[in-house]
Amino acid sequence: MQIKILGPLSAEVDGTSIVPTAGKPRQILSLMALYPGRVMPVPTLMEELWDTALPASALTTLQTYILQLRRKLGTAMGPGAPAGVRDVLATRHGGYLLQIPEDSVDVYRYEKLAREGQTAFATGDNEVAAARFRSALDLWSGAPLVDVKAGPVLDIEVRRLRESRLVTVERRIDADLRLGRHAELIAELTDLTVRHPHHEGLHSQSMLALYRSGRQASALAAYRRLQRALVEELGVEPSPQLQRMHQAMLAVDPQLDVLAGPRNSSTFDLFAA
């Protein structure tokens, strides 16, 4: 079985899709896929499906949805499958278990590559870090579970994955900046700062990429746009480290041209106290 969550939901057994068309069974499959090999408690599944408005028939209806998923799974596995359907989508005391290896789910492959990238980044191996982060991000094909109507439990997971992806993008850009790829990053960072107008880390990267590409005026303009957005919309000034980066650009500080400093830190922390 191969399951994809980092984009539209996809779940296949030997090339045959087992994704149900009905919304609530899709929620169940998505939630269980996020925790392969672990029991998903019945109360958690019920919370995902109905929040606090549980119908009187909640348990019976949940069992019906599990039966529907097992039928889809059984059709895909075929009669000659070595493992029975109930061995794959198993009933356990108090819940249900999707008994598949973690690496059958793209989320776990993504997180493994992202961890490897972070380890390389922390040790200063920027080539490996950039490559691992890029491989991790290549597993994404859109917003996570974009075609699944998420309940309260899945909504938390989707938010976590979106934040994780943004952090991985930021770290990959940090590694690329250390490797002197500033000019190649400008277009991407222009898009990211528009999408995330209050994200100081991305703005610091955009400022540095522009500055190192000989576009000091554009770098300073990027700072002013961020400052205006923060003041007008949130009532706060940029952080001290971003203010110090701005001052360094005004002073043409040679430290800005150093690709990799003594600390293996993010671009945002280049001027941390």
Side-chain angles (χ1 to χ4, degrees):
M1 186 185 298
Q2 293 294 320
I3 300 180
K4 295 179 181 179
I5 288 172
L6 304 177
L9 174 63
S10 170
E12 295 183 347
V13 175
D14 295 330
T16 301
S17 175
I18 63 166
V19 176
T21 55
K24 292 192 183 300
R26 290 166 74 90
Q27 288 174 259
I28 294 172
L29 178 59
S30 300
L31 191 54
M32 294 185 71
L34 281 163
Y35 294 93
R38 283 174 275 182
V39 175
M40 182 57 58
V42 165
T44 302
L45 290 168
M46 288 183 172
E47 180 186 359
E48 167 60 24
L49 296 178
W50 296 290
D51 201 354
T52 57
L54 291 180
S57 61
L59 182 58
T60 301
T61 305
L62 175 60
Q63 290 169 343
T64 300
Y65 293 150
I66 294 293
L67 179 61
Q68 292 172 5
L69 286 170
R70 282 178 173 152
R71 284 174 178 164
K72 295 278 288 186
L73 184 58
T75 300
M77 292 173 64
V85 172
R86 287 181 173 272
D87 293 329
V88 178
L89 181 47
T91 302
R92 292 290 185 268
H93 178 69
Y96 297 95
L97 167 71
L98 189 60
Q99 200 147 244
I100 59 174
E102 285 189 346
D103 62 4
S104 297
V105 185
D106 60 354
V107 170
Y108 288 87
R109 297 196 300 276
Y110 157 75
E111 291 178 340
K112 180 177 181 291
L113 286 164
R115 285 195 301 272
E116 291 174 356
Q118 186 57 47
T119 298
F121 184 81
T123 58
D125 193 342
N126 301 311
E127 286 282 3
V128 171
R132 292 291 188 279
F133 288 139
R134 194 166 279 107
S135 294
L137 293 166
D138 284 345
L139 293 172
W140 289 71
S141 58
L145 296 173
V146 66
D147 57 348
V148 176
K149 185 178 179 180
V153 183
L154 268 182
D155 184 63
I156 293 171
E157 296 291 347
V158 167
R159 288 172 184 268
R160 176 183 68 84
L161 288 169
R162 284 176 175 167
E163 185 62 30
S164 174
R165 183 182 185 278
L166 187 57
V167 169
T168 301
V169 168
E170 192 179 357
R171 292 291 81 78
R172 194 221 82 224
I173 293 172
D174 277 333
D176 282 337
L177 282 170
R178 289 181 181 180
L179 293 165
R181 298 169 180 165
H182 34 269
E184 298 96 315
L185 294 169
I186 291 174
E188 179 184 9
L189 283 164
T190 299
D191 176 69
L192 286 168
T193 52
V194 170
R195 292 176 184 272
H196 304 279
H198 304 133
H199 195 300
E200 292 196 349
L202 294 172
H203 278 79
S204 71
Q205 293 173 327
S206 179
M207 290 166 60
L208 193 62
L210 288 163
Y211 182 89
R212 288 179 176 170
S213 300
R215 297 173 59 181
Q216 182 187 25
S218 296
L220 296 172
Y223 176 83
R224 289 193 296 272
R225 283 193 298 273
L226 171 64
Q227 183 185 41
R228 185 166 55 249
L230 291 175
V231 171
E232 293 179 357
E233 298 171 30
L234 303 178
V236 297
E237 289 283 345
S239 62
Q241 51 261 57
L242 205 61
Q243 292 184 42
R244 284 192 286 269
M245 178 180 281
H246 176 242
Q247 290 299 317
M249 288 181 175
L250 289 171
V252 195
D253 189 332
Q255 184 178 344
L256 290 165
D257 296 316
V258 178
L259 295 182
R263 294 182 300 168
N264 295 317
S265 58
S266 68
T267 303
F268 181 63
D269 289 330
L270 283 176
F271 289 87

